[in-house]
């Protein structure tokens, strides 16, 4: 390169944005301004040491600029194209994650230090003046950091050196004159020391949390292994037990088949014996009838008299007993018994499976517990934190309060199962053995003993009371879109996502929504109050006879009108009370 290309007398590198001062020496604009920004009252040329009374205004050096441009063009024209950096030098160039040197031109090298006085980052080459020149002796070097513009006060363009505890922000010296006058001020180093202690405490807490989480991970892994083993054993045992039950049912079927076959054989043998004896008696009677006919035609009076008495005496002596046949003898009782066994087995199996299902759902494998809020909070946390609002909805407490939301309900006979007998002004439903004379309707439950009310409930609060009796009943609410045909869970109130129910019996109570079932330990109560807060998203059941004691509460988001509904078992009934 030509020798007329000048270097900066401060950084000893090519001039960048060259400026000259009154003594004639040329520097990079950033270098001379940084040098004088940290001058202690007097302004001296860094090269010739000429002192100026006032801070000179550096003037742009056009000649040096043109010289640098010519050198650059000459380099571009005559020098060979730059070779790509070798693998050994790749590590010296700044990547996207590195802090580049602020002095380098073209492809920048990695910065190894940042100067908090110059507010610039330097590579190894451009850092040398800070070690060789006494001017930079008081400058503070730190490991390379990015975003040095954050170290400058945006209002006064001075370095940030102080911390205002009143406003919780870093400030420069000039900020103390007006904006932060009279505030609690400390040096940045002092504030760093205090916050360093907090950082250490926070780091210790984080490390403790890491230890806790690692321990929890190990516990979960061990629990998962145990769960897999338990599930495998349960599958094997249930398969074995169900196999034994199937074989037991097959043995019962074989015994029942043997019973039917044996009794059929006995009945057939008896019938065949009676038929044979009757055929023999008919033959004997026909033969005697022929003899009597022949005797009636004889003309010998003595022979007639003698033969007549003999034939009549034989007929009276050999008379056989009559056979009576039972026209009602059949195997329908066997079929009925097996059918009842099937019904009882299904009911028992469903009840037991429901208990098992509820028990399994109650056993939580693992759950996430919210951590308690730390008692120590930073000032920013204190500013954001607010006490929870106390403007909660005033829910009724005593029965008189509930009665203010009383709503009259009537059962919709068009939805009633055919064996449900609706009475008392469409307020009572009883399950009968015989079907009722209901007409066909698409909204009727065709397989389950259920019925819905006519009144849709939406957007407010409603209360009604139900009396139940018998072996079991369920009460709740359902969307209009609940399925009406079939035996499946999609039809039964409480067993799907479109309905909620409380099941009542003389031995237990349970609440159900979808696949979630909760067994409830409460006393027997035949009169239950139901409170629906459609807007608030709650459905509650209360023991009216026990001072409105809460039995169970559902929390949901009702998105459409709901209809009160009921499920009634055999020899049971429900009645909507008049309030």
């Amino acid at each position: 390169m030509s020798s007329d290309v000048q270097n900066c007398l401060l950084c000893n590198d090519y001039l960048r944005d060259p400026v000259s001062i009154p003594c004639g020496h040329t520097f990079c604009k950033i270098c001379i301004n940084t040098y004088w920004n940290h001058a202690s009252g007097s302004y001296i040329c860094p090269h010739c040491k000429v002192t100026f009374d006032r801070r000179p205004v550096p003037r742009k050096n056009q000649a040096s600029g043109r010289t640098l441009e010519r050198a650059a063009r000459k380099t571009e024209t005559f020098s060979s194209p730059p070779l790509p950096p070798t693998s050994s030098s790749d590590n010296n160039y700044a990547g996207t994650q590195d802090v580049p040197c602020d002095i380098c031109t073209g492809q920048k090298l990695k910065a190894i230090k940042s100067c908090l006085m110059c507010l610039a980052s330097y590579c190894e080459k451009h850092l040398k003046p800070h070690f060789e020149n006494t001017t930079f002796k008081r400058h503070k070097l730190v490991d390379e950091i990015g975003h040095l513009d954050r170290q400058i006060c945006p209002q006064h363009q001075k370095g940030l050196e102080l911390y205002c505890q009143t406003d919780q922000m870093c400030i420069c010296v000039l900020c103390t004159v007006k904006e932060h006058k009279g505030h609690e001020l400390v040096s940045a180093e002092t504030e760093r020391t205090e916050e360093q202690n907090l950082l250490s405490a926070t780091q210790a807490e984080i490390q403790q949390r890491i230890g806790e989480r690692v321990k929890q991970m190990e516990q979960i892994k061990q629990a998962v292994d145990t769960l897999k083993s338990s599930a495998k054993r349960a599958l094997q045992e249930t398969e074995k037990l169900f196999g034994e039950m199937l074989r037991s049912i097959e043995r019962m079927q074989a015994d029942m088949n043997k019973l039917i076959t044996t009794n059929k054989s006995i009945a057939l043998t008896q019938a065949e014996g009676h038929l044979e004896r009757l055929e023999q008696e008919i033959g004997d009677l026909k033969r005697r009838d022929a003899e009597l006919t022949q005797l009636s035609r004889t003309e010998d009076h003595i022979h007639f008299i003698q033969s007549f008495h003999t034939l009549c005496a034989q007929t009276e002596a050999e008379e056989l007993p009559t056979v009576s046949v039972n026209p009602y003898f059949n195997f329908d009782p066997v079929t009925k018994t097996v059918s009842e066994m099937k019904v009882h087995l299904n009911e028992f199996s469903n009840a037991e499976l429901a208990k098992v299902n509820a028990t399994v759902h109650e056993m939580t494998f693992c759950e996430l517990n919210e951590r308690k809020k730390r008692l120590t909070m930073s000032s920013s946390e204190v500013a954001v934190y607010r006490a929870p609002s106390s403007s909660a909805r005033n829910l009724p407490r005593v029965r008189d309060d509930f009665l203010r939301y009383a709503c009259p309900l009537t059962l919709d006979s068009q939805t009633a199962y055919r064996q449900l007998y609706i009475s008392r002004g469409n307020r009572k439903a009883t399950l009968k053995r015989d079907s009722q004379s209901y007409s066909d309707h698409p909204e009727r439950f065709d397989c389950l003993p259920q019925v819905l009310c006519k009144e849709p409930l939406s957007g407010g609060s409603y209360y009604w009371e139900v009396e139940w009796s018998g072996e079991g009943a369920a009460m709740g609410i359902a969307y209009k879109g609940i399925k009406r045909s079939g035996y499946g869970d999609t039809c039964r109130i409480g067993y799907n996502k479109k309905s909620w129910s409380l099941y009542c019996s003389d031995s237990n109570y349970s609440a159900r929504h979808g696949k979630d079932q909760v067994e409830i330990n409460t006393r027997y109560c035949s009169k239950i109050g139901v409170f629906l807060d459609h807007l608030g998203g709650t459905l509650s059941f209360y023991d009216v006879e026990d001072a409105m004691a809460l039995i169970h509460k559902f929390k949901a988001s009702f998105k459409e009108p709901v209809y009160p509904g009921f499920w009634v078992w055999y020899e049971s009934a429900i009645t909507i009370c008049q309030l």
Side-chain angles (χ1 to χ4, degrees):
M1 181 176 290
S2 176
S3 60
D4 63 350
V5 178
Q6 301 180 13
N7 291 343
C8 174
L9 298 174
L10 277 173
C11 65
N12 295 322
D13 203 349
Y14 298 135
L15 288 166
R16 294 180 298 112
D17 195 9
V19 293
S20 59
I21 60 178
C23 64
H25 294 113
T26 304
F27 305 91
C28 298
K29 183 177 181 180
I30 186 174
C31 293
I32 189 63
N33 283 333
T34 302
Y35 179 80
W36 278 340
N37 284 341
H38 299 88
S40 57
S42 61
Y43 301 97
I44 303 173
C45 174
H47 186 69
C48 64
K49 306 301 180 182
V50 174
T51 303
F52 304 100
D53 295 336
R54 292 184 300 177
R55 178 171 176 166
V57 178
R59 296 182 178 181
K60 188 173 183 180
N61 193 328
Q62 301 293 338
S64 298
R66 288 192 297 270
T67 302
L68 184 60
E69 291 174 2
R70 287 196 302 271
R73 287 196 298 270
K74 184 177 180 180
T75 301
E76 294 175 357
T77 304
F78 297 103
S79 61
S80 59
L83 296 175
T86 61
S87 58
S88 60
S89 61
D90 282 346
N91 294 333
N92 295 328
Y93 289 98
T96 55
Q97 303 297 326
D98 300 319
V99 178
C101 175
D102 291 325
I103 308 300
C104 289
T105 58
Q107 189 171 8
K108 295 181 178 290
L109 297 175
K110 290 182 182 179
I112 61 173
K113 292 289 182 180
S114 297
C115 179
L116 298 182
M117 300 290 285
C118 300
L119 296 177
S121 299
Y122 301 97
C123 63
E124 183 177 3
K125 174 184 176 183
H126 295 113
L127 185 64
K128 289 182 179 180
H130 277 75
F131 296 112
E132 298 172 353
N133 196 326
T134 57
T135 304
F136 302 105
K137 184 176 181 180
R138 293 185 300 166
H139 289 199
K140 184 175 181 179
L141 298 175
V142 296
D143 291 336
E144 76 283 358
I145 55 175
H147 305 289
L148 286 170
D149 54 332
R150 298 177 183 175
Q151 306 285 332
I152 298 292
C153 175
Q155 184 175 358
H156 302 104
Q157 301 300 314
K158 290 288 185 178
L160 301 175
E161 302 176 5
L162 303 174
Y163 181 78
C164 176
Q165 293 181 338
T166 304
D167 294 333
Q168 299 181 358
M169 60 183 297
C170 295
I171 61 175
C172 68
V173 176
L174 296 180
C175 292
T176 62
V177 177
K178 184 177 180 181
E179 291 83 357
H180 298 270
K181 183 178 180 180
H183 291 187
E184 295 291 333
L185 306 175
V186 295
S187 65
E189 183 177 1
T190 302
E191 181 64 21
R192 161 68 184 273
T193 302
E194 294 181 2
E195 294 189 356
Q196 184 74 33
N197 295 331
L198 293 176
L199 184 145
S200 300
T202 303
Q203 189 174 12
E205 182 181 355
I206 291 175
Q207 292 174 354
Q208 181 182 359
R209 282 173 154 182
I210 292 173
E212 293 175 354
R213 293 296 186 264
V214 170
K215 184 177 179 181
Q216 291 172 1
M217 284 181 60
E218 294 298 327
Q219 292 176 348
I220 293 175
K221 289 179 180 179
Q222 293 178 2
V224 167
D225 293 339
T226 304
L227 178 67
K228 291 179 179 179
S229 301
S230 176
K232 183 178 180 180
R233 289 195 304 271
L235 288 172
Q236 294 173 347
E237 290 295 326
T238 51
E239 183 177 1
K240 177 182 177 182
L241 293 172
F242 274 107
E244 293 176 355
M245 284 191 286
L246 289 174
R247 287 189 291 274
S248 177
I249 292 175
E250 290 173 355
R251 285 194 298 270
M252 292 172 61
Q253 182 183 9
D255 293 341
M256 194 63 67
N257 292 341
K258 183 178 179 181
L259 175 65
I260 296 173
T261 304
T262 302
N263 282 272
K264 182 188 74 171
S265 300
I266 294 173
L268 291 177
T269 301
Q270 291 177 350
E272 290 173 355
H274 291 310
L275 289 173
E276 183 179 354
R277 293 177 61 185
L278 289 172
E279 289 176 356
Q280 184 179 1
E281 183 179 353
I282 291 171
D284 292 341
L285 292 174
K286 285 181 178 180
R287 179 177 51 79
R288 293 190 185 111
D289 180 63
E291 291 177 352
L292 291 174
T293 300
Q294 185 179 2
L295 181 63
S296 67
R297 294 174 182 173
T298 184
E299 296 179 356
D300 187 348
H301 301 300
I302 300 299
H303 174 70
F304 178 86
I305 295 171
Q306 292 175 347
S307 299
F308 174 75
H309 289 289
T310 302
L311 291 174
C312 288
Q314 291 178 355
T315 302
E316 293 176 359
E318 296 180 1
E319 184 176 358
L320 297 175
T322 59
V323 178
S324 61
V325 179
N326 180 11
Y328 302 104
F329 181 86
N330 55 48
F331 291 98
D332 289 346
V334 177
T335 305
K336 183 178 180 181
T337 301
V338 175
S339 178
E340 291 177 352
M341 288 174 59
K342 176 188 173 184
V343 173
H344 292 316
L345 180 60
N346 286 336
E347 293 174 358
F348 176 77
S349 301
N350 291 335
E352 293 301 315
L353 287 176
K355 291 179 182 178
V356 172
N357 190 33
T359 303
V360 172
H361 277 82
E362 288 177 357
M363 294 187 301
T364 304
F365 175 67
C366 59
E367 60 183 352
L368 181 65
N369 296 323
E370 295 292 336
R371 294 179 61 88
K372 293 182 178 180
K373 195 173 186 67
R374 290 178 299 167
L375 295 178
T376 305
M377 294 185 291
S378 63
S379 56
S380 59
E381 290 176 321
V382 173
V384 174
Y385 178 78
R386 296 290 184 273
S389 174
S390 61
S391 59
R393 295 170 61 89
N394 295 322
L395 298 177
R397 297 180 180 274
V398 297
R399 187 167 181 266
D400 289 340
D401 295 335
F402 286 94
L403 291 176
R404 291 184 299 173
Y405 303 97
C407 62
L409 298 175
T410 53
L411 300 174
D412 187 356
S413 59
Q414 293 182 344
T415 66
Y417 179 60
R418 291 190 180 276
Q419 291 178 230
L420 279 179
Y421 174 67
I422 307 300
S423 60
R424 291 193 185 178
N426 286 8
R427 291 186 297 104
K428 183 176 181 180
T430 308
L431 186 61
K432 300 288 186 178
R433 294 288 179 180
D434 301 324
S435 297
Q436 306 300 309
S437 57
Y438 295 139
S439 60
D440 293 335
H441 199 278
E443 294 184 359
R444 188 178 308 286
F445 292 99
D446 61 356
C447 295
L448 292 174
Q450 298 183 153
V451 61
L452 297 181
C453 288
K454 295 181 180 179
E455 295 79 7
L457 308 180
S458 177
S461 298
Y462 308 88
Y463 176 74
W464 63 96
E465 292 179 354
V466 180
E467 282 187 324
W468 72 276
S469 60
E471 295 183 3
M475 58 200 70
I477 58 174
Y479 291 141
K480 188 174 183 180
I482 188 172
K483 190 176 179 182
R484 311 300 174 95
S485 60
Y487 290 95
D489 290 348
T490 55
C491 305
R492 187 167 179 178
I493 298 175
Y495 282 66
N496 48 72
K497 295 298 183 181
K498 294 184 178 181
S499 58
W500 297 257
S501 72
L502 175 72
Y503 171 78
C504 309
S505 72
D506 56 354
S507 59
N508 70 306
Y509 290 76
S510 61
R512 183 147 190 165
H513 173 59
K515 295 183 178 180
D516 300 325
Q517 179 171 330
V518 179
E519 296 294 328
I520 303 172
N521 183 17
T522 186
R523 75 182 194 95
Y524 173 84
C525 52
S526 61
K527 190 174 185 180
I528 295 177
V530 186
F531 180 75
L532 169 66
D533 185 356
H534 191 277
L535 189 62
T538 61
L539 174 67
S540 307
F541 299 88
Y542 296 87
D543 184 352
V544 178
E545 300 169 352
D546 189 19
M548 304 304 292
L550 179 64
I551 298 175
H552 185 76
K553 176 186 287 187
F554 287 104
K555 292 184 178 180
S557 178
F558 303 117
K559 300 178 181 179
E560 60 182 275
V562 297
Y563 294 78
F566 306 90
W567 175 90
V568 186
W569 194 229
Y570 286 106
E571 307 301 328
S572 302
I574 62 95
T575 303
I576 302 174
C577 302
Q578 286 185 322
L579 303 178

